[in-house]
Amino acid sequence: MTFATRKLSSLLGVALLAAAPFAAHAVDIKLGHVLAPSHSWNKAAEGFAAEVKEKTNGRVNFVLFPSGQLGNEKTMLEGLQIGSQGAAIIGSGSLQPIEPKFGVVELPYTWSTSQQAYKAYDGELGEALAKLADKKNLTIISWWENGFRHVTNNRGPVNKPADLAGLKTRVTPDKMRLDTFTALGANPAPLAFGELYSALQQKVFDAQENPLSIIYTSSFFEVQKYLSLTGHVWGPASLIISKPVWNRISADDKKVVQAAADKWRDAQRKMISEGDQQFVAQLKDKGMQVNEVDKATFAAAVEPVWKTYSVTYGPELMALVQKYREAK
């Protein structure tokens, strides 16, 4: 072997040794959300993370940070866009500051059943929104669930829109929700979720609106007396991976991540649907007074919101919404 050959062989050996640890190195991904560890988001995320880690032999490792440990949804979205945070489960309406058309997920009284919504978000509506997110450096892996949102308050039962008149109501910090509750006659104002319990406790707000799972797991029954089953919005949640982080994952491992995300999406949805009836019973046991509402009067009251925002979201998105809304 000549000197040149030996030198080339040595250099190749060094290069291979240098590359080997890189190839075997795990991709550690921080996955944050704002809800409690007992919420279905976190339970499903635990299963998702464990399955991905096992099936990639540790090459992809999601590390969970519940309860807003990585910040509120706005902060996490900013981190996802620049790649400083790896992944998150985000209430999909919170993407509106990044892409206003995501407000379409907040249109009140769009879906009469969860199954209607599943078909839309697992179908063309979800694909169209995922393409919008991709342009903002966000990869939506799958659509999880927040569920139907309901109103709680300390004044009395809400049976019709007039019962919301003047009620200081905390809503999510997006214009669609503000306009919806303004149309219903309430006095809405935004507030970060992490500050909500203390704001209700201190009577800064009279009322709030959230899914049953959040009302229960966040112990709002301790600071609210009345629960009215308005079902005014069915909210999707997005399992999002930062696009720069997603691009670091190999093609084979991406398939594993996607399959696990879809599996645990279905599991999380099942937790929501099975949990809702239990949550109503549990909230009653905790002392809340629960009532049904006349949804037709609520839907009629928010018709101007639909007219206003249809222009913002454009004919293509609205056509997809109507397609799945009218499907049986």
Side-chain angles (χ1 to χ4, degrees):
M1 181 182 293
T2 66
F3 173 77
T5 304
R6 285 197 305 271
K7 186 174 182 181
L8 177 60
S9 177
S10 176
L11 288 171
L12 285 171
V14 170
L16 288 170
L17 284 171
F22 177 80
H25 182 67
V27 179
D28 290 324
I29 302 172
K30 291 181 178 181
L31 194 166
H33 64 81
V34 298
L35 299 182
S38 57
H39 191 272
S40 62
W41 282 9
N42 198 67
K43 291 179 180 179
E46 288 175 336
F48 164 73
E51 183 165 332
V52 169
K53 185 174 183 179
E54 177 188 353
K55 292 189 175 179
T56 63
N57 295 315
R59 290 186 301 274
V60 182
N61 182 34
F62 287 92
V63 183
L64 271 56
F65 292 85
S67 303
Q69 293 178 53
L70 300 182
N72 59 28
E73 291 191 327
K74 178 178 182 292
T75 300
M76 288 193 287
L77 280 168
E78 289 170 353
L80 291 169
Q81 284 191 285
I82 64 174
S84 62
Q85 181 175 327
I89 305 169
I90 301 282
S92 305
S94 293
L95 276 77
Q96 289 178 79
I98 294 171
E99 171 48 74
K101 288 186 176 181
F102 262 84
V104 76
V105 310
E106 303 284 354
L107 280 168
Y109 294 101
T110 301
W111 315 112
S112 56
T113 67
S114 297
Q115 294 300 326
Q116 255 190 325
Y118 297 161
K119 289 177 182 176
Y121 288 99
D122 295 343
E124 293 176 74
L125 179 59
E127 289 175 8
L129 291 170
K131 287 178 182 177
L132 293 175
D134 184 74
K135 294 176 182 177
K136 306 297 181 179
N137 238 17
L138 305 171
T139 302
I140 295 179
I141 303 300
S142 66
W143 297 92
W144 291 21
E145 181 174 1
N146 238 336
F148 283 103
R149 302 178 76 92
H150 308 284
V151 171
T152 70
N153 83 99
N154 273 330
R155 190 170 73 183
V158 173
N159 295 295
K160 54 190 182 300
D163 296 327
L164 286 167
L167 204 62
K168 184 70 180 293
T169 306
R170 178 271 177 182
V171 296
T172 52
D174 60 77
K175 194 171 184 300
M176 163 69 74
R177 194 65 52 79
L178 284 164
D179 288 350
T180 294
F181 274 81
T182 298
L184 290 171
N187 180 18
L191 184 73
F193 181 80
E195 302 171 36
L196 178 54
Y197 182 95
S198 61
L200 293 170
Q201 187 177 42
Q202 295 164 19
K203 303 191 185 305
V204 176
F205 286 91
D206 307 308
Q208 66 86 45
E209 47 86 43
N210 259 302
L212 294 172
S213 56
I214 294 177
I215 293 168
Y216 184 78
T217 59
S218 300
S219 300
F220 290 155
F221 51 81
E222 296 175 349
V223 290
Q224 296 274 269
K225 179 66 176 176
Y226 302 95
L227 165 62
S228 302
L229 301 175
T230 51
H232 49 278
V233 172
W234 182 94
S238 304
L239 174 57
I240 302 173
I241 297 181
S242 170
K243 193 173 178 181
V245 174
W246 181 244
N247 289 339
R248 288 170 51 201
I249 301 173
S250 72
D252 287 342
D253 286 346
K254 282 179 180 176
K255 292 177 184 177
V256 173
V257 173
Q258 185 64 65
D262 291 344
K263 173 183 172 180
W264 287 98
R265 169 203 67 199
D266 294 343
Q268 190 268 333
R269 288 173 175 176
K270 188 176 181 182
M271 290 180 207
I272 291 285
S273 61
E274 291 181 349
D276 273 2
Q277 289 184 344
Q278 295 174 7
F279 285 132
V280 168
Q282 289 170 323
L283 289 165
K284 286 180 179 178
D285 288 343
K286 295 293 185 180
M288 294 196 85
Q289 294 185 27
V290 182
N291 69 281
E292 298 284 347
V293 308
D294 180 2
K295 291 183 180 178
T297 60
F298 283 81
V302 297
E303 283 182 7
V305 176
W306 275 74
K307 291 178 182 176
T308 298
Y309 282 90
S310 292
V311 177
T312 302
Y313 305 142
E316 292 181 10
L317 269 184
M318 292 306 299
L320 289 175
V321 169
Q322 290 294 356
K323 172 183 175 179
Y324 289 101
R325 195 184 192 200
E326 295 167 3
K328 300 299 181 183

